[in-house]
Amino acid sequence: ETGVTQTPRHLVMGMTNKKSLKCEQHLGHNAMYWYKQSAKKPLELMFVYNFKEQTENNSVPSRFSPECPNSSHLFLHLHTLQPEDSALYLCASSHTISTGGGYEQYFGPGTRLTVT
Amino acid sequence: GQQVMQIPQYQHVQEGEDFTTYCNSSTTLSNIQWYKQRPGGHPVFLIQLVKSGEVKKQKRLTFQFGEAKKNSSLHITATQTTDVGTYFCAGVEYGGSQGNLIFGKGTKLSVKP
């Protein structure tokens, strides 16, 4: 499955570093999502973009900054992270978003982030 | 806020045994989706249920959506080693945005050959 790609696949960064995660979808979708998956918590929705506009920001700390230049690309800019931010960061896309019935989400392989 | 609870957290079965995972929402859902995540992999969409009382089947997998649209279940008949992974339900609160999909913690299934 190569519909949604993420780079890098693994990232180790210090707490003072600045790095970016990249996601690209080749499915012609209009909605893109960032999720955080850590060992002891459910998959947590972080940000949602629909037609390049941010529609959801689930109380994510400002040290995470999303960017969506177009419907195919999504970035997550990271700065001054904490060790508890270590997790698998998953990008997903869907046709669009709507109320009521929804659309399935297609996930990328994720970036395994370790903050030291 | 909306919460989606999933039980059990872990399930170990012998190959050939059946398996069921249950999902309960604190609020009425407009739809519910199920995903499977293999070890080391990413979530993969399995199915979406929208109608009250809906039942859908995919080969050995049977999905149900409760009459009140607050609970759902996934049943696997005669498990195989290829069924290993974590099964997540994810729901959208009735009247809410599809963009705000709330996931359960998942049920991790292991199958002993």
Side-chain angles (χ1 to χ4, degrees):
Chain A
E1 298 174 18
T2 58
V4 181
T5 58
Q6 289 186 244
T7 54
R9 296 293 306 277
H10 301 271
L11 178 62
V12 179
M13 60 186 287
M15 288 189 285
T16 58
N17 291 160
K18 287 184 179 181
K19 296 286 184 183
S20 296
L21 309 184
K22 179 182 176 183
C23 176
E24 184 174 0
Q25 59 95 1
H26 311 274
L27 301 169
H29 290 164
N30 296 301
M32 296 188 78
Y33 311 76
W34 279 117
Y35 287 89
K36 175 183 179 183
Q37 187 174 42
S38 44
K40 298 184 178 179
K41 292 185 177 181
L43 205 60
E44 298 173 83
L45 179 66
M46 300 175 72
F47 302 104
V48 182
Y49 281 82
N50 195 38
F51 291 95
K52 302 189 298 179
E53 298 296 320
Q54 188 177 128
T55 61
E56 301 281 346
N57 176 343
N58 281 2
S59 304
V60 180
S62 60
R63 55 186 185 270
F64 294 92
S65 174
E67 179 190 359
C68 188
N70 55 61
S71 291
S72 298
H73 294 85
L74 186 64
F75 295 89
L76 188 62
H77 304 299
L78 316 171
H79 63 98
T80 59
L81 294 192
Q82 304 297 312
E84 59 265 29
D85 296 321
S86 299
L88 180 67
Y89 288 85
L90 290 159
C91 173
S93 71
S94 69
H95 175 60
T96 183
I97 64 173
S98 64
T99 55
Y103 299 95
E104 62 264 34
Q105 295 187 14
Y106 293 80
F107 285 81
T111 294
R112 175 67 62 184
L113 174 67
T114 304
V115 181
T116 61
Chain B
Q2 182 195 3
Q3 289 188 331
V4 175
M5 310 300 291
Q6 206 174 336
I7 56 169
Q9 192 174 356
Y10 302 96
Q11 186 77 59
H12 309 282
V13 300
Q14 191 76 35
E15 189 173 22
E17 291 181 340
D18 292 357
F19 158 77
T20 304
T21 172
Y22 300 91
C23 184
N24 291 286
S25 170
S26 57
T27 60
T28 302
L29 302 171
S30 60
N31 65 73
I32 195 158
Q33 299 178 2
W34 285 90
Y35 291 79
K36 176 184 178 181
Q37 186 171 17
R38 294 181 186 274
H42 56 274
V44 175
F45 175 81
L46 294 177
I47 208 159
Q48 175 170 267
L49 305 171
V50 179
K51 298 177 183 177
S52 170
E54 189 170 14
V55 178
K56 286 189 176 180
K57 292 190 176 184
Q58 289 180 349
K59 297 183 180 178
R60 294 178 296 104
L61 278 60
T62 302
F63 303 85
Q64 291 187 316
F65 201 10
E67 294 290 341
K69 301 184 76 172
K70 295 183 73 173
N71 56 72
S72 180
S73 65
L74 158 60
H75 179 81
I76 301 179
T77 304
T79 54
Q80 301 175 357
T81 54
T82 53
D83 295 325
V84 165
T86 301
Y87 292 84
F88 296 96
C89 63
V92 176
E93 190 172 12
Y94 185 78
S97 166
Q98 172 58 23
N100 202 8
L101 196 60
I102 306 298
F103 280 77
K105 284 191 176 182
T107 296
K108 187 173 183 179
L109 173 65
S110 61
V111 180
K112 189 175 180 181

